[in-house]
Amino acid sequence: MHPFTYTKAADTREALDAGRRGGRYIAGGTTLVDLMRETVERPASLIDISALPLSDTTVTKGGGLRIGALVRMSEAAAHPTVRALYPVISQALELSASAQLRNMATIGGNIMQRTRCTYFRDVTADCNKREPGSGCAALHGYNRGHAIFGTSDSCVATHPSDLAVALAALEATIHLLGPDGERSVPFSDFLLQPGSTPHREQAVLPGELITGVEIPAHPRPLTSGYLKVRDRQSYEFALTSAAVALRIGGGVIREAKVAVGGVGTVPWKLPAVERRLIGERPSHRLWAEAAEQATDGARPLKYNGFKVELLKRTVERQLRTLGGIT
Ligand code: SF4
């Protein structure tokens, strides 16, 4: 591990001042400390923001839900309002990591976590994300767990967060605070596809920190859930996953929100699937036809072609589970 300084910010002003001077924010530390041990990350200065007042979960005036950046994953998953309004969020969180990690890791940190690409974590391998311009060992290496959407010649790594898939489906907003004040970014613009700059992963400006996540009010009733497919049933990242929310009224699907994980360089929204569902009556045939469109535009690599079929089945099964007619 490389030498670094550690400061605990007493308040937001202190945190932002230290952030302006180039310090890295840390709260739960479940990703960053691991990466520092492996010398993948080498920050000169850490600013512990865990004392900041960002640990509330509240219903907004408009009927949406705001989850503070420092709420622990386990707290958010168990929160009665989160469970009642957006089970897809609770389920995505409960299917993430281990219980011990969920007790430490925060909502903000979960969104900011870095890829689990094994080459990224191997400092002897070429990796444009870790070392811009060095190449991508995964492109022609063992890429079974890598992305089929949003890839570039520079990087094909998936985004690892389950929570992020649920937030993409629900069209959440990220709230940020920085040296120039507060701002909000739609979640669809927050996580960046790699393009030619895979080391740029989020739309965060220097010195900014996440203050919270807001899920807009969705007309009710809304049923939602998260399905995660992985090599083993615990403590494993998704091969494929599906976050789905449906509003069915008068026997017809009025609203459909669908995003998938384990397959994109960022959580991947499926507007074609959503369009296919809206205005239709639930049926076996509809679920299958909609799921067939889940892989439009997919570009599998040498070892991950199986994800194309697996993703269709994941989406179809989750639609059946939520929409009925099983
Ligand atoms: Fe690095 Fe991305 Fe290539 Fe993995 S896929 S080695 S993270 S550049």
Side-chain angles (χ1 to χ4, degrees):
M1 195 181 268
H2 284 247
F4 61 92
T5 62
Y6 169 88
T7 314
K8 184 155 187 169
D11 54 33
T12 307
R13 176 180 294 275
E14 223 173 271
L16 291 178
D17 284 348
R20 194 184 294 119
R21 292 193 297 272
R24 286 283 300 276
Y25 298 123
I26 187 168
T30 52
T31 293
L32 184 54
V33 173
D34 268 1
L35 293 173
M36 288 171 67
R37 281 203 196 102
E38 293 165 10
T39 68
V40 173
E41 294 262 22
R42 302 171 191 182
S45 150
L46 292 184
I47 310 149
D48 184 342
I49 58 169
S50 56
L52 270 50
L54 302 172
S55 299
D56 288 336
T57 298
T58 50
V59 175
T60 64
K61 278 184 187 159
L65 183 70
R66 181 169 173 142
I67 307 175
L70 292 178
V71 175
R72 306 282 172 181
M73 288 172 69
S74 53
E75 290 169 358
H79 196 285
T81 310
V82 177
R83 294 187 89 83
L85 294 182
Y86 298 109
V88 64
I89 292 178
S90 290
Q91 292 168 18
L93 288 167
E94 283 170 349
L95 290 169
S96 304
S98 64
Q100 291 90 340
L101 286 170
R102 293 195 297 272
N103 285 338
M104 283 299 293
T106 63
I107 295 299
N110 183 282
I111 296 164
M112 294 292 287
Q113 69 180 292
R114 307 200 70 189
T115 182
R116 260 56 187 182
C117 171
T118 50
Y119 300 107
F120 171 74
R121 287 170 178 253
D122 174 359
V123 291
T124 66
D126 292 338
C127 175
N128 288 319
K129 196 180 275 298
R130 175 172 30 78
E131 197 71 48
S134 64
C136 172
L139 208 52
H140 303 292
Y142 189 56
N143 43 40
R144 177 177 181 268
H146 289 71
I148 58 174
F149 293 117
T151 56
S152 71
D153 290 344
S154 297
C155 181
V156 292
T158 53
H159 192 275
S161 166
D162 296 295
L163 170 66
V165 183
L167 296 179
L170 295 171
E171 293 154 4
T173 297
I174 300 292
H175 295 294
L176 297 152
L177 178 65
D180 297 325
E182 294 180 70
R183 70 185 182 106
S184 301
V185 180
F187 195 66
S188 54
D189 297 335
F190 185 72
L191 297 176
L192 307 177
Q193 293 182 38
S196 58
T197 55
H199 56 288
R200 288 201 63 237
E201 296 174 315
Q202 304 94 8
V204 178
L205 300 173
E208 277 188 327
L209 56 85
I210 298 177
T211 56
V213 176
E214 186 169 338
I215 296 100
H218 289 281
R220 300 273 150 188
L222 190 78
T223 176
S224 70
Y226 187 71
L227 174 63
K228 180 174 182 176
V229 178
R230 45 190 167 170
D231 282 328
R232 56 182 182 181
Q233 263 312 95
S234 68
Y235 200 25
E236 187 56 275
F237 294 92
L239 289 170
T240 59
S241 70
V244 176
L246 296 176
R247 181 166 62 88
I248 301 175
V252 171
I253 300 167
R254 308 287 176 186
E255 191 170 3
K257 306 287 179 194
V258 184
V260 289
V263 288
T265 53
V266 295
W268 208 251
K269 195 87 154 69
L270 297 178
V273 173
E274 294 171 350
R275 281 194 300 272
R276 181 67 189 84
L277 294 168
I278 292 170
E280 300 287 343
R281 292 185 174 276
S283 69
H284 286 301
R285 187 174 165 181
L286 177 66
W287 306 140
E289 286 181 3
E292 198 57 38
Q293 296 181 40
T295 54
D296 287 358
R299 291 178 55 202
L301 303 162
K302 183 172 180 183
Y303 293 105
N304 69 1
F306 72 97
K307 286 192 176 187
V308 173
E309 184 59 30
L310 186 61
L311 181 63
K312 289 179 191 172
R313 294 183 190 199
T314 305
V315 171
E316 183 180 350
R317 184 171 136 195
Q318 187 59 358
L319 288 172
R320 265 196 283 128
T321 301
L322 285 180
I325 321 223
T326 56

